[in-house]
Amino acid sequence: MSNIPTLPGITSTMVQTPRLQMHVLSSGPADGEPVLFVHGNASSATFWEETMLALPAGFRAIAPDLRGYGETEDLLIDATRGCGDWVDDLLALLDTLGIERCHAVGHSLGGVVLFNLIAAAPQRIITATLAAPGSPYGFGGCKGLNGELCWPDGAGSGGGTVNQAFVERMAAGDTTEEAGVAAPRVVMNTYYWKPPFRPAREEALLLSLLSEKVGPQRYPGDFKPSPNWPGIAPGVWGPINAISPLYVGDSVERFVAADPKPPILWVRGADDQIVSDMSLFDVGTLGQLGVLPDWPGAEAHPPQPMISQTRAVLERYAAAGGSYREVVFENCGHTPYIEYPEQFNAAFHAHLAGQG
């Protein structure tokens, strides 16, 4: 099914749902307790294979490629719905597979999707595990613990903030290790994990990164000129616009008010450079560091406090009757389940068993 090699024990299938045809990797017994794995940006279900195979006996792993990624049918993402298209796609997949309730795990952008999935259908999630999730308020262009927009048009977030050289290399299927040109392999090995770590399946993971659908309406998405710094605001298509704070709507409030409230495990790396309170992928940080010119200052457009926002929202979730546990791995980057699989699985499996 997939152009990307899979590990023994992983099954690759296409599943037709009422919304789209999804590519799904699975493992474990067909009648096992289901665990839904949701990948991040510039990756695919491939990233989860070792974690899937390590599940305790009696669990069934289901890892789809999200809309816009991997081998799933190439339909556009309506970014004005925030994560709505992805949430509806996942619920349609669960319905098609006859899964009423499942555990759910999300990495990075997939963590943002999970916040939205809990907001939309909390009764279907038994437990949630967030691996280096993006902030529930989205990525870039917002400030403060309540995710207030830096500018009314969402300037500083969305498709226009992505490094164009990286997108071009991605579209060309570049697998080189050329320095200084945003080669995908170099970006992956610099930011997805903390150097000098290199994953055993580096080639498959690089193919996974390169499998994202690229184009003006796909990755990274369209954008608009803005009178506000840094001069670009979100458009209406594609994954990076979909996680703009401009389109978050009432999803955070619905997450906090969710009933029931699945218990949440939050695992992150202490040295994550993608999701942090000083993310090197956030224009606020790049402005403060002098990389982007004409920065308007920390009051107008500070680095987005992504970790602090996530903690503040999870504290509200707990105060409203939910529960969460934050686990931080030292000397770890953006992908704790690949960098420290034994430690990750210990926490993850205890959480699945209700002992987290």
Side-chain angles (χ1 to χ4, degrees):
M1 284 291 174
S2 172
N3 301 325
I4 304 169
T6 52
L7 291 169
I10 299 284
T11 304
S12 163
T13 50
M14 298 300 292
V15 178
Q16 182 65 55
T17 79
R19 287 179 56 80
L20 81 172
Q21 190 178 58
M22 296 192 86
H23 176 239
V24 179
L25 298 182
S26 59
S27 66
D31 61 350
E33 195 168 332
V35 184
L36 177 70
F37 289 85
V38 186
H39 66 77
N41 184 55
S43 67
S44 72
T46 299
F47 269 64
W48 289 118
E49 290 182 37
E50 288 86 349
T51 313
M52 295 163 67
L53 292 169
L55 280 174
F59 286 93
R60 171 190 182 196
I62 297 145
D65 290 343
L66 293 173
R67 178 187 296 238
Y69 298 83
E71 308 287 318
T72 284
E73 183 181 355
D74 185 12
L75 297 184
L76 295 181
I77 296 160
D78 176 357
T80 65
R81 302 188 65 218
C83 290
D85 272 350
W86 291 316
V87 167
D88 289 349
D89 290 347
L90 290 173
L91 291 172
L93 175 66
L94 294 176
D95 290 345
T96 300
L97 296 175
I99 295 170
E100 189 53 44
R101 297 180 75 224
C102 64
H103 301 272
V105 194
H107 175 220
S108 195
L109 175 144
V112 181
V113 173
L114 226 56
F115 282 121
N116 284 266
L117 186 61
I118 292 168
Q123 72 284 359
R124 303 194 66 168
I125 309 302
I126 305 165
T127 68
T129 300
L130 303 166
S135 164
Y137 290 108
F139 199 92
C142 68
K143 59 188 178 181
L145 297 185
N146 62 350
E148 175 194 349
L149 286 171
C150 294
W151 314 102
D153 62 357
S157 69
T161 63
V162 175
N163 181 332
Q164 202 49 45
F166 176 69
V167 175
E168 288 164 11
R169 294 265 169 166
M170 201 169 172
D174 179 354
T175 61
T176 68
E177 203 152 354
E178 200 179 332
V181 291
R185 184 188 298 272
V186 176
V187 170
M188 182 176 81
N189 284 321
T190 305
Y191 299 108
Y192 282 34
W193 19 85
K194 184 179 180 179
F197 179 86
R198 304 282 284 248
R201 282 201 311 144
E202 180 177 329
E203 301 311 316
L205 298 178
L206 180 60
L207 290 175
S208 169
L209 182 163
L210 294 169
S211 72
E212 182 166 7
K213 313 292 196 297
V214 176
Q217 292 183 300
R218 291 171 174 82
Y219 178 73
D222 55 332
F223 57 92
K224 298 170 182 161
S226 170
N228 303 308
W229 187 85
I232 40 172
V236 296
W237 298 108
I240 307 305
N241 289 315
I243 57 168
S244 163
L246 186 63
Y247 302 127
V248 162
D250 65 351
S251 62
V252 174
E253 298 311 312
R254 286 187 295 113
F255 168 77
V256 170
D259 182 26
K261 287 187 161 58
I264 292 175
L265 170 66
W266 173 25
V267 184
R268 62 183 183 86
D271 301 321
D272 191 336
Q273 298 185 86
I274 296 177
V275 174
S276 83
D277 284 359
M278 281 283 291
S279 167
L280 293 178
F281 291 74
D282 174 35
V283 298
T285 305
L286 298 177
Q288 184 169 299
L289 294 175
V291 176
L292 283 180
D294 307 319
W295 182 55
E299 198 164 317
H301 203 130
Q304 180 187 349
M306 301 175 186
I307 300 294
S308 300
Q309 287 175 349
T310 297
R311 192 178 296 115
V313 169
L314 289 172
E315 284 290 339
R316 289 179 59 201
Y317 185 82
S323 68
Y324 84 95
R325 184 162 81 100
E326 179 182 356
V327 177
V328 183
F329 293 170
E330 294 304 319
N331 208 32
C332 177
H334 186 56
T335 318
Y337 58 95
I338 287 178
E339 294 175 76
Y340 292 96
E342 287 178 15
Q343 293 92 318
F344 180 85
N345 287 329
F348 173 39
H349 298 170
H351 189 57
L352 291 176
Q355 294 157 357

